[in-house]
Amino acid sequence: MSTAYDRMAVLLGGNESGRHAEMAEDLAGILRDALRHAHAHWASLRSTDRLAARTTARDLDLLDSQAVAGGATLQLSLPIGRSITVTLGEEDFRSPKEGWTTVHSDSELLDATISGADHAAIKDALDTITEVLTAHLREDAFETD
């Protein structure tokens, strides 16, 4: 973390050297690692149903001001020249794990079992994507009929 603090000090000091963008990227990488550790620690303290309930409650709070990702489908390109389709979703309200991340694939190459840390990381990644896309929604996207 001392490296992160050093990078923040330089960036906040307004030093516009040629290394400014490089240091910002370096800091973002360090903070991503810290976030992964935080997800793992948080997941170790909570049961899967409590993790799911917390992320579901957070999603409901966010709906007042932004869109919320209910799922996503993506294609993973593998180094062997193949690709697999992965669908991320959520357990529905009838499930004891309401809001828990579900993973389905068209390939046996992917183990779809996820941990609490995986759930938190996937939710965080979907939140980031949703924030970017929400900024591009038309104003009437939040109007009710």
Side-chain angles (χ1 to χ4, degrees), residues 11-61:
L11 293 172
L12 292 173
N15 182 350
E16 294 294 331
S17 71
R19 290 189 17 94
H20 190 80
E22 183 180 325
M23 290 182 79
E25 284 292 322
D26 184 42
L27 176 59
I30 292 167
L31 295 175
R32 271 193 301 274
D33 288 341
L35 182 60
R36 278 192 288 277
H37 288 291
H39 287 155
H41 182 69
W42 183 45
S44 74
L45 301 175
R46 301 284 185 258
S47 63
T48 56
D49 58 334
R50 290 195 57 199
L51 279 171
R54 177 167 175 159
T55 54
T56 298
R58 188 187 59 177
D59 285 352
L60 290 173
D61 289 343

Side-chain angles (χ1 to χ4, degrees), residues 41-94:
H41 182 69
W42 183 45
S44 74
L45 301 175
R46 301 284 185 258
S47 63
T48 56
D49 58 334
R50 290 195 57 199
L51 279 171
R54 177 167 175 159
T55 54
T56 298
R58 188 187 59 177
D59 285 352
L60 290 173
D61 289 343
L62 288 174
L63 273 175
D64 290 337
S65 60
Q66 73 176 47
V68 173
T73 300
L74 59 134
Q75 195 165 6
L76 296 178
S77 298
L78 305 177
I80 59 174
R82 291 178 56 189
S83 63
I84 62 175
T85 301
V86 179
T87 302
L88 304 172
E90 294 180 350
E91 293 283 348
D92 70 14
F93 69 93
R94 295 172 292 217

